[in-house]
Amino acid sequence: MNYNDDSKRMSNFFRHALVLLSFVLAFTITGCEEEEVTIPGLYAFSDVTVVPMHTVVVLENHTVVVRGDEIEAVGPSDQIEIPEGARVIDGSGRYLMPGLAEMHGHIPGPDDPQYAEDMLFLYISNGVTTVRNMSGHNYHLELTERIDNGDIPGPSVIAATPWTSPDNIPGPEEAREAVHDFYEAGFDLIKIGNIRGDAYEALADEAHAVGIPFAGHIPEEIGLTGALEARQASIDHLDRYVEFMAEEHPEYDDRDPGFFGSGVVDLIDEDRMEEAIGQTIEAGTWNIPTLSLVEHLASPQTPEEMINWPEMRYMPPGVREHWVDAKHNFQNRDDFQPEAAQRLVEVRRDLLLMMHEHEAPIALGSDAPQFFNVPGFSIHHEMAMMVEAGLTPYEVLVTGTRNPAGYLNTPDAFGTIEDGRRADLILLEANPLTDIGNVREPAGVMVRGEWWPEERIQTHLDEIAARYEQD
Ligand SMILES: [Zn+2]
């Protein structure tokens, strides 16, 4: 997806012209009375502390002007004039940071459009203004268009193809064909599942030729090194790292690797961690850790306790029940007994920290809605886990703001608060750099220039909760 293309710029131009015209009309109709007329799409956050995220800094007493879907001006309040007709949002005592990206999210498919639209709203209600949808459907391309046109509220979507598996891609020939079909359909990336090794190699080859990235899991036959050699765009869930660290152990071949390596985690040689990370950096491959995917299943909390978290009321009852069953099933798996599960959590946190220390590219993702990960809400769990793993709040926020724009090779498109960036913003009551928990429950969220104050968000959330109330 190219956020900077000319057609978008042209449509912005027309939108601005239209906004101006409606202002003139509104003014003419109301005559010259001293009535306050605001221009649609023109906002000013006044006297706010800006957390711009291009560097570790907070800028006090600033004004941020938004016009249409773009940040028009950022500067000290005594230097930036609030344009006439702007709707002023009082920022005093508050913090303004860029919107977050969920780089491994899922948007439900066409079977239940209401459910899909509800999940889109849960993302933005939590300040998640970009979602990389990691198992797609043609329906999502349509949905993305409706979001971009302003027909339904939602984040900007980076659209992956349907999950690839030996069912839809049995061999190399089908793989090459699929790459072209996916590309022509308009998907932004190909989601990798556990396909055969020769199918993966053909897919990778063809995808590079066509110019469409591929990302996600790593097929078992390919392994970490194979995926890095193929220049996979991102590895999600830290897939196959544990296997890489364990594979030289004499017992390795007799074991089933289990869930993200849970079956072989006791065999790992920690010295191989640095080697794995070195290869990752060399390949330029991104990592989307999704710590919470494993940690929610491995935690000592019972599923019955977890299903009572306040955010669970926004999920359909059927999904909640499925999550409870899933955790019980995991607790009964041989490869996921408490010792192995806890070790897996530790190793994954160590991996993340070492990746970060070696400056491997990392982007934020939690895998929602999957196992207790309620869209939007789960990103806050994920960020808290990353802080527990040893990153500072600023470092964690970089992975969710600036880095996703870097992943897309559009570093100037969004992810920082600077002139010309997409107007994706989160208004907070406290400094997110002192406590990552301060990002929860925003005072307001702006998505591509559309303003959602807290009360408006809550009204919408209450409607969703009412829909999924269990009697
Ligand atoms: Zn996923």
Side-chain angles (χ1 to χ4, degrees), residues 104-106 134-135 163 191 217 236-237 290 293 366-370:
H104 191 111
H106 294 276
M134 282 310 280
S135 53
W163 172 279
K191 165 71 181 260
H217 288 261
D236 296 45
H237 321 299
T290 71
L293 171 66
S366 71
D367 203 352
Q370 183 86 276

Side-chain angles (χ1 to χ4, degrees), residues 102-116:
E102 161 65 271
M103 293 296 280
H104 191 111
H106 294 276
I107 299 164
D111 299 346
D112 186 350
Q114 182 67 61
Y115 174 42

Side-chain angles (χ1 to χ4, degrees), residues 36 138 160 238 290 385 460:
E36 212 193 315
N138 284 331
L238 303 174
T290 71
M385 289 168 189
H460 227 80

Side-chain angles (χ1 to χ4, degrees), residues 55-108:
T55 176
V56 198
V57 69
V58 293
L59 310 165
E60 290 174 0
N61 302 108
H62 266 52
T63 294
V64 175
V65 178
V66 169
R67 197 184 290 268
D69 59 4
E70 235 175 65
I71 297 171
E72 186 180 71
V74 183
S77 295
D78 56 3
Q79 288 173 29
I80 297 278
E81 208 180 313
I82 294 180
E84 208 173 317
R87 184 171 154 196
V88 178
I89 299 161
D90 180 18
S92 51
R94 290 168 160 175
Y95 293 77
L96 192 66
M97 63 165 280
L100 292 164
E102 161 65 271
M103 293 296 280
H104 191 111
H106 294 276
I107 299 164

Side-chain angles (χ1 to χ4, degrees), residues 170-219:
E173 215 167 293
E174 292 86 350
R176 288 187 188 273
E177 228 171 275
V179 168
H180 287 273
D181 292 346
F182 289 149
Y183 181 74
E184 274 152 34
F187 289 106
D188 299 309
L189 73 149
I190 298 172
K191 165 71 181 260
I192 299 296
N194 198 12
I195 54 177
R196 246 169 50 187
D198 57 352
Y200 177 87
E201 278 158 9
L203 184 148
D205 185 47
E206 204 66 27
H208 282 302
V210 166
I212 183 169
F214 52 100
H217 288 261
I218 299 176

Side-chain angles (χ1 to χ4, degrees), residues 102 292 311 366 368 372-383:
E102 161 65 271
S292 61
E311 69 240 41
S366 71
F372 306 94
N373 280 327
V374 179
F377 294 86
S378 65
I379 219 69
H380 300 291
H381 291 285
E382 180 73 22
M383 294 197 299

